[in-house]
Amino acid sequence: GESVGLHLPTLSVQEGDNSIINCAYSNSASDYFIWYKQESGKGPQFIIDIRSNMDKRQGQRVTVLLNKTVKHLSLQIAATQPGDSAVYFCAENSGGATNKLIFGTGTLLAVQP
Amino acid sequence: GAGVSQSPSNKVTEKGKDVELRCDPISGHTALYWYRQSLGQGLEFLIYFQGNSAPDKSGLPSDRFSAERTGGSVSTLTIQRTQQEDSAVYLCASSLEWGDNQPQHFGDGTRLSIL
């Protein structure tokens, strides 16, 4: 079946350290992936996306890596700040006629001051 | 520019009542999605609109759930004869147009509680 899963349900890091959040996906035909950040009481906020013809994409303090061989996705956050504390979801675009997103259960990132 | 707007932000109702949730997408976005998020869980797809038509309703849990979109803009999700298991956050997202590689942008959701 379709599934997108996360390896670490909770990640605790010190302020200023780099964070790495991992995600595994099961549909080898998926060609578009998105990372979202969700703060308490808010909707998911788009962070960065990547297409399957790329293996790395960088944004402001964030980098997404895609390894299609092992169907693995990661989000790296540089110099993690308290404001980065949130739940992070990877999402897989199912393509086809809908482009619905398939989400994993999320990773809670806790930044310690 | 305004983002996706959803109302109400919170809704508490008694079991058996009907509820209507509203989504106002980003102006100019033609694709609109509804998702449901149960406590501590990821998002579950419900229905997708392209313009006013709904090519994919496969995620609607039962025939008590329906949605419509008029004028290619605002959408309403209706739940009839609500049950306690319907309690969740209902999220709406829109994207600029249909097609791969279009990021979906979310509203803050409606938190629905069924007593």
Side-chain angles (χ1 to χ4, degrees), chain A residues 65-106:
Chain A
L65 300 178
L66 175 63
N67 185 330
K68 294 180 290 294
T69 301
V70 295
K71 293 184 287 187
H72 185 266
L73 195 67
S74 69
L75 177 70
Q76 301 178 0
I77 304 173
T80 313
Q81 302 169 0
D84 295 328
S85 294
V87 177
Y88 289 80
F89 293 95
C90 63
E92 173 182 6
N93 190 316
S94 64
T98 303
N99 293 311
K100 65 184 179 183
L101 294 176
I102 301 168
F103 284 81
T105 53

Side-chain angles (χ1 to χ4, degrees), chain A residues 31-32 34 36 38 41-44 46 49 51 89 93 95-101 103-105, chain B residues 33 35 37 40-43 45 48 56 58 91 98-108 111:
Chain A
D31 61 0
Y32 180 56
I34 307 175
Y36 286 94
Q38 187 174 29
K42 300 285 190 180
F46 173 87
D49 57 1
R51 303 173 186 179
F89 293 95
N93 190 316
T98 303
N99 293 311
K100 65 184 179 183
L101 294 176
F103 284 81
T105 53
Chain B
Y33 302 78
Y35 294 84
Q37 185 174 30
Q41 299 296 313
L43 280 69
F45 168 80
Y48 153 69
D56 190 344
S58 64
L91 290 153
W98 179 88
D100 285 342
N101 308 325
Q102 295 289 335
Q104 296 177 26
H105 299 276
F106 285 83
D108 286 337
R111 184 174 301 276

Side-chain angles (χ1 to χ4, degrees), chain B residues 8-83:
Chain B
S9 55
N10 288 281
K11 177 71 176 179
V12 181
T13 193
E14 294 179 345
K15 176 183 173 181
K17 300 288 188 182
D18 297 352
V19 295
E20 188 173 278
L21 312 179
R22 176 188 170 103
C23 173
D24 200 341
I26 294 172
S27 179
H29 281 198
T30 60
L32 186 147
Y33 302 78
W34 283 98
Y35 294 84
R36 178 169 71 173
Q37 185 174 30
S38 300
L39 186 63
Q41 299 296 313
L43 280 69
E44 170 193 13
F45 168 80
L46 298 178
I47 188 170
Y48 153 69
F49 286 92
Q50 178 58 32
N52 292 336
S53 65
D56 190 344
K57 305 178 182 180
S58 64
L60 294 178
S62 73
D63 59 8
R64 296 185 296 105
F65 288 72
S66 63
E68 65 176 16
R69 188 182 187 196
T70 56
S73 182
V74 172
S75 175
T76 54
L77 176 69
T78 301
I79 309 173
Q80 295 178 309
R81 305 180 302 281
T82 52
Q83 303 294 314

Side-chain angles (χ1 to χ4, degrees), chain A residues 22 25 41 49 52 56 58 89:
Chain A
N22 297 300
Y25 64 94
D49 57 1
S52 60
K56 179 179 180 179
Q58 290 185 292
F89 293 95

Side-chain angles (χ1 to χ4, degrees), chain A residues 3-67:
Chain A
S3 67
V4 176
L6 296 175
H7 294 162
L8 299 173
T10 304
L11 177 64
S12 184
V13 300
Q14 291 294 121
E15 180 178 358
D17 287 351
N18 296 333
S19 302
I20 300 176
I21 301 172
N22 297 300
C23 175
Y25 64 94
S26 60
N27 187 350
S28 58
S30 293
D31 61 0
Y32 180 56
F33 304 87
I34 307 175
W35 278 101
Y36 286 94
K37 171 187 180 183
Q38 187 174 29
E39 297 174 290
S40 181
K42 300 285 190 180
Q45 175 189 356
F46 173 87
I47 301 174
I48 192 167
D49 57 1
I50 189 167
R51 303 173 186 179
S52 60
N53 61 352
M54 305 170 70
D55 54 20
K56 179 179 180 179
R57 191 169 187 216
Q58 290 185 292
Q60 185 177 10
R61 281 202 307 119
V62 295
T63 300
V64 55
L65 300 178
L66 175 63
N67 185 330

